[in-house]
Amino acid sequence: MQDMDRQTTPVIDELAAVVDEQLTALVRGLEDAGWNAEDVALTLQEVLRRKWLRRMEALRRARAAVPDGFVSDGNEG
């Protein structure tokens, strides 16, 4: 996916550290509840792919389709 090629910035690095910390806590909590870490990681990947990445890509495409300078009058669609 092209998003993986984005350059990092201090803000992205900071956010990545927070996300990593939260994911680590989630995985550990699920392991404590008896789930296998590999199953948890694969499930996280699937949830991200199905629910989040597709939605983000659709939103990106929709934003790209809107002409520059477009101002909504609220009556589109």
Side-chain angles (χ1 to χ4, degrees):
M1 175 166 275
Q2 70 190 31
D3 289 342
M4 299 302 266
D5 296 332
R6 287 185 180 170
Q7 283 188 302
T8 62
T9 66
V11 171
I12 291 173
D13 290 343
E14 180 181 358
L15 180 57
V18 171
V19 169
D20 183 54
E21 184 179 315
Q22 294 294 312
L23 286 174
T24 299
L26 175 63
V27 171
R28 286 185 180 156
L30 290 169
E31 282 181 307
D32 289 347
W35 295 96
N36 175 288
E38 184 177 351
D39 289 341
V40 171
L42 291 172
T43 302
L44 286 170
Q45 181 180 13
E46 186 63 18
V47 169
L48 284 170
R49 185 185 65 78
R50 270 197 258 161
K51 292 194 84 176
W52 293 93
L53 298 177
R54 285 181 184 172
R55 192 176 300 158
M56 291 289 123
E57 180 61 21
L59 182 57
R60 186 198 63 76
R61 283 194 310 267
R63 285 181 178 149
V66 175
D68 289 340
F70 175 78
V71 177
S72 172
D73 64 4
N75 292 315
E76 294 81 21

